[in-house]
Amino acid sequence: MLKIENLHARVEGKDILKGLTLTVNAGEVHAIMGPNGAGKSTLGNVLSGRDGYEVTEGSVTFNGVDLLALEPEARAAAGVFLAFQYPVEIPGVNNTYFLRAALNAQRKQRGERELDSMQFLKLVREKLKIMQISDELLHRAVNEGFSGGEKKRNEIFQMAVLEPKLAILDETDSGLDIDALKQVAQGVNALRSAERGFLVITHYQRLLDYIEPDFVHVLADGRIVESGDKTLALKLEEQGYAWVTDKDPVLHGASA
Amino acid sequence: MSEPQRTPFVDSQLEAAAQARLPGSSIGWLQAARRENLDAFAASGLPDTRMEAWKYTALRALGQRHFASGDEQAASRAVDASAFALPGIDGPALVFVNGVFRADLSRIDALPAGLDLQPLSQALQGDAEPLRFALSRHYREGGDVFARLNAALAGDGVVLRVAAGAKIAQPVHLLFIGAPGEVDLAWHVRHVIELGEDAELSLIEHHASSGDQQHLGTQVADIVLRKGARLRQVTLQDAATGSTLVRHDSVQLDAQAQASLYVLELGGALVRHDLHANLAGDRSRLETRGVFVLGGRQHVDTQMAIRHQALNTSSESVWRGVADQRSRGVFRGAIVVAEGADGSDASLSSKNLLLSGQAEIDTKPELEIYADEVKASHGATVGQLDERSLFYLRSRGIPLAEARSMLTAAFCRAVFEPLPEEGLREHLYHQLMAHLPSA
């Protein structure tokens, strides 16, 4: 589904991703772990099309389409969803209105019929159950005055309504206490399916106790330096990132 | 002082004055006031940008234009006033076409008790004495040149009185339609509005257009709120894209009177609005909430001056401006808390959004305080749409143009939220959305 090959990207003239290669198939959950500054958030931003990220080499295809050639809104319509590390507060834009506009914009781009307000409301009611979000959040402005946990749950709720093919979770665990973390993970798990791929970007192993990955990759200095199954995450937790970076001849050589 | 330049504009208006057949010509004091204001207009001519009040609005191009006076056809032009109906507003209505009252388009047959509403042209045929104070005004302030012109040439307008204690349930709709004519016209309307003690009124001032035209319209309104009176006024300015509109409103609030003024400026090529409010009585309260949304080469200049003159008065002003393409918005909000107006509370917020690199907005809050125990705050910003918010919306599938208009509408929306008439509020939102750049 998602095929990243030899991806190089820079931000403000600084090379961040330096040859990242990764394939995510439908139904798989991939965790990307790595130390601060490794390029984890850059990966999420490049995939979702944020301005200011320049791809200098490599390719990203999504179901055979050149993802990097698409505008952010077209990527969303194609089925890519980014759950933000820091969801943006948008005063004056009602949460429900926003979500309906987003869903219908995607449907329109895909040539599907837009949902009327009754159909949309029905969909929202179904999804609310999954996320255990209170009605009240829906009537407020997007993320405005939401607690950290509410913001992250709202991200997952949006994901539930938009039903992407690929969900990228950018440090969704940051700033969450254990209860909020469990709620968010529960929401994500409810959305796991054979048709959907997940890219879970995280600094800590903690989140992976609740969202069990099929694959774990270590991102260091812009490349994937180690891949394995979920036991890799546990090993990292025990031994720290130095264990993999020391093993890598390039990184080790650079720091020596 | 140097001799003012006799521009084609000034000449055309003096010529108009010479030919004008205005109602009330047999009223001595009125004729004297007209003459005095006309002389002052002729002597001053149009101001240039060296004058503080006109610093950001150049009138050179206007000065070269010629406007015919009085639309001879105005009484018979076919205009579909129903096109300007507002949702939920079906009460009394006065309709003017190119400044001329149109009884056939108005609704004043069954006025509620306590409401006296008639066109000025008609009021001048009866006992004009109650209008004497307002209509004898001489506009001596240097910048009040259009008020002078209006005082000299206005033959029609609105005379509205609400009797003490009367609470008028249905909003009154004042509709000014600019209609295309054979030539560019200048029209002038003059309003005298008074709410008696504890009276209540909701008023809609609506400027619209039945087709492309480049007329000049001027309006002068004197509004007096007696003790405890309450006025809510909504101004929807959607004049023709090519037109020039100059409004000069003076509002006086006696003790405990309250006025809430909402303004949405959308149309016009050159628009100037002077809003002078005087909180003259203890515990009077003023709220002004305005939005301008500009595009093309529109130029809209709002000059608001609020004077706190009495104890424990309060004013709250919330203004938002959006300028796209090569348009220019000007907002000046001057608040004076005079000596002795202790315990007053004044706040002013002017936030503005530039949607294009060629648009310009100048905002200038001014606060002068001469009293004690005053709470005052003001803030003004000019900025651009937040990139992070734009990306957030786009990342959810909302196309760039839609994301921009969504954020811009949100920026303006809060201004009208307190407006209780829901249908009207929604209408303002829709009008606002329709004027936002969509692609």
Side-chain angles (χ1 to χ4, degrees):
Chain A
M1 181 169 60
L2 177 73
K3 211 165 172 196
I4 306 173
E5 278 183 281
N6 189 33
L7 184 65
H8 289 66
R10 60 169 58 161
V11 186
E12 291 169 356
K14 194 172 169 230
D15 293 319
I16 306 287
L17 298 182
K18 302 171 182 172
L20 189 147
T21 297
L22 176 69
T23 299
V24 178
N25 295 309
E28 295 175 354
V29 175
H30 290 247
I32 306 268
M33 302 184 69
N36 288 327
K40 297 195 300 292
S41 283
T42 298
L43 177 61
N45 286 326
V46 167
L47 292 179
S48 56
R50 190 178 209 131
D51 274 350
Y53 294 81
E54 187 196 350
V55 173
T56 52
E57 210 183 319
S59 66
V60 179
T61 55
F62 183 67
N63 290 328
V65 175
D66 176 7
L67 191 68
L68 300 177
L70 302 180
E71 293 292 326
E73 51 268 38
R75 298 183 194 199
V80 176
F81 180 92
L82 172 70
F84 282 56
Q85 183 178 3
Y86 304 108
V88 183
E89 297 194 13
I90 307 185
V93 177
N94 172 277
N95 213 4
T96 313
Y97 169 79
F98 155 68
L99 200 48
R100 185 174 160 212
L103 180 63
N104 278 337
Q106 290 198 15
R107 294 180 67 95
K108 199 170 160 186
Q109 288 174 72
R110 292 194 292 258
E112 297 164 11
R113 237 193 25 222
E114 296 181 33
L115 298 189
D116 65 28
S117 49
M118 292 303 287
Q119 292 166 320
F120 179 73
L121 212 63
K122 190 164 168 275
L123 178 71
V124 162
R125 295 258 167 267
E126 284 168 22
K127 304 296 183 182
L128 273 176
K129 281 185 213 143
I130 302 173
M131 271 322 294
Q132 298 166 335
I133 277 189
S134 75
D135 264 22
E136 191 254 336
L137 286 193
L138 288 176
H139 298 128
R140 297 201 344 224
V142 179
N143 293 323
E144 193 187 26
F146 286 26
S147 70
E150 285 172 336
K151 281 181 183 166
K152 297 297 172 74
R153 269 190 289 158
N154 195 32
E155 294 290 285
I156 307 303
F157 173 65
Q158 290 173 23
M159 188 200 297
V161 171
L162 298 173
E163 300 181 317
K165 295 187 180 116
L166 173 71
I168 304 161
L169 274 56
D170 186 9
E171 308 219 15
T172 291
D173 49 333
S174 70
L176 294 187
D177 62 29
I178 195 71
D179 290 334
L181 183 71
K182 278 184 189 169
Q183 281 180 320
V184 166
Q186 204 173 23
V188 171
N189 287 330
L191 296 173
R192 287 179 76 154
S193 83
E195 289 83 44
R196 185 168 293 138
F198 282 87
L199 204 53
V200 180
I201 297 169
T202 180
H203 184 78
Y204 299 104
Q205 186 270 338
R206 190 177 70 152
L207 179 66
L208 305 180
D209 286 341
Y210 304 99
I211 303 174
E212 206 173 290
D214 301 306
F215 302 93
V216 174
H217 310 276
V218 178
L219 179 63
D221 195 31
R223 291 178 301 121
I224 286 178
V225 294
E226 185 83 25
S227 295
D229 61 14
K230 63 182 178 184
T231 57
L232 178 59
L234 295 168
K235 202 161 178 182
L236 282 169
E237 182 78 358
E238 265 171 40
Q239 309 197 6
Y241 286 112
W243 167 70
V244 271
T245 50
D246 284 352
K247 252 179 25 164
D248 188 275
V250 177
L251 292 176
H252 192 62
S255 60
Chain B
M1 263 181 79
S2 63
E3 190 69 11
Q5 279 195 323
R6 290 294 288 266
T7 61
F9 174 77
V10 172
D11 285 341
S12 74
Q13 294 310 293
L14 293 179
E15 196 181 308
Q19 293 169 1
R21 292 191 311 271
L22 298 175
S25 55
S26 60
I27 303 167
W29 57 260
L30 182 58
Q31 286 298 87
R34 284 170 172 164
R35 179 163 310 282
E36 188 155 336
N37 279 297
L38 184 69
D39 289 347
F41 169 76
S44 70
L46 291 175
D48 62 30
T49 51
R50 281 173 300 183
M51 185 174 281
E52 182 63 24
W54 292 90
K55 188 174 170 186
Y56 297 103
T57 298
L59 298 173
R60 267 191 317 276
L62 185 74
Q64 295 308 311
R65 294 182 57 193
H66 183 280
F67 294 93
S69 75
D71 183 4
E72 308 266 310
Q73 323 282 314
S76 57
R77 284 192 192 281
V79 171
D80 178 14
S82 68
F84 309 108
L86 299 171
I89 307 301
D90 51 7
L94 279 195
V95 180
F96 297 79
V97 173
N98 291 339
V100 174
F101 174 63
R102 287 284 293 263
D104 58 323
L105 305 176
S106 301
R107 274 192 309 263
I108 42 171
D109 40 346
L111 294 179
L115 176 65
D116 177 13
L117 176 65
Q118 55 182 323
L120 177 67
S121 50
Q122 189 181 310
L124 288 176
Q125 286 163 21
D127 177 14
E129 207 49 37
L131 300 170
R132 183 169 185 161
F133 181 76
L135 299 188
S136 302
R137 274 179 71 172
H138 299 157
Y139 295 91
R140 297 195 176 87
E141 286 284 323
D144 288 345
V145 51
F146 292 97
R148 261 172 233 145
L149 184 61
N150 181 287
L153 286 172
D156 222 329
V158 175
V159 176
L160 189 162
R161 284 195 202 86
V162 183
K167 299 184 184 351
I168 309 302
Q170 284 180 307
V172 172
H173 191 179
L174 307 177
L175 175 57
F176 306 92
I177 302 171
E182 296 65 38
V183 290
D184 294 345
L185 290 162
W187 54 264
H188 311 277
V189 288
R190 180 70 165 89
H191 311 325
V192 182
I193 295 170
E194 180 172 344
L195 273 62
E197 280 193 18
D198 298 317
E200 287 183 19
L201 177 71
S202 173
L203 189 63
I204 299 158
E205 176 189 326
H206 187 179
H207 297 272
S209 167
S210 67
D212 287 346
Q213 34 85 4
Q214 305 193 338
H215 301 333
L216 162 70
T218 78
Q219 165 184 290
V220 174
D222 275 321
I223 301 174
V224 176
L225 307 185
R226 296 299 175 205
K227 187 181 169 204
R230 289 181 178 210
L231 170 71
R232 182 166 54 249
Q233 180 172 339
V234 175
T235 300
L236 170 55
Q237 189 277 101
D238 195 12
T241 319
S243 61
T244 300
L245 183 64
V246 184
R247 285 131 59 214
H248 187 292
D249 300 333
S250 305
V251 185
Q252 179 193 313
L253 296 98
D254 290 351
Q256 292 157 52
Q258 294 187 20
S260 297
L261 311 177
Y262 295 82
V263 181
L264 178 56
E265 302 269 8
L266 298 173
L270 173 61
V271 174
R272 164 75 172 223
H273 181 208
D274 284 74
L275 172 57
H276 295 185
N278 192 1
L279 293 153
D282 293 354
R283 288 198 286 147
S284 54
R285 175 174 165 72
L286 171 72
E287 184 182 20
T288 72
R289 306 179 74 91
V291 173
F292 61 78
V293 179
L294 313 181
R297 288 176 169 273
Q298 279 184 288
H299 183 115
V300 172
D301 179 350
T302 298
Q303 301 273 321
M304 183 177 75
I306 298 174
R307 196 173 167 82
H308 289 254
Q309 212 134 261
L311 290 172
N312 303 312
T313 50
S314 70
S315 69
E316 181 187 1
S317 304
V318 180
W319 291 76
R320 299 289 178 265
V322 178
D324 194 20
Q325 293 160 327
R326 306 176 76 88
S327 63
R328 186 159 187 201
V330 180
F331 177 81
R332 175 166 167 256
I335 299 177
V336 176
V337 182
E339 199 180 319
D342 299 344
S344 290
D345 187 343
S347 73
L348 168 64
S349 156
S350 159
K351 291 187 184 168
N352 302 280
L353 207 49
L354 292 173
L355 298 183
S356 119
Q358 276 130 14
E360 181 176 332
I361 295 179
D362 300 283
T363 175
K364 197 174 166 208
E366 297 168 16
L367 208 50
E368 290 177 48
I369 298 173
Y370 304 99
D372 300 322
E373 288 173 55
V374 170
K375 257 177 40 189
S377 63
H378 65 83
T381 59
V382 180
Q384 276 134 38
L385 285 175
D386 178 36
E387 287 298 328
R388 289 167 59 243
S389 303
L390 271 177
F391 176 66
Y392 191 74
L393 297 183
R394 295 179 76 191
S395 79
R396 297 300 180 249
I398 298 171
L400 178 61
E402 197 183 332
R404 286 168 66 99
S405 70
M406 202 182 268
L407 290 178
T408 310
F411 175 79
C412 302
R413 209 177 156 92
V415 174
F416 298 122
E417 232 141 62
L419 186 64
E421 285 98 350
E422 197 187 344
L424 187 57
R425 191 175 63 228
E426 289 301 318
H427 183 76
L428 295 182
Y429 289 152
H430 287 140
Q431 292 296 103
L432 196 153
M433 287 296 284
H435 276 76
L436 292 177
S438 54

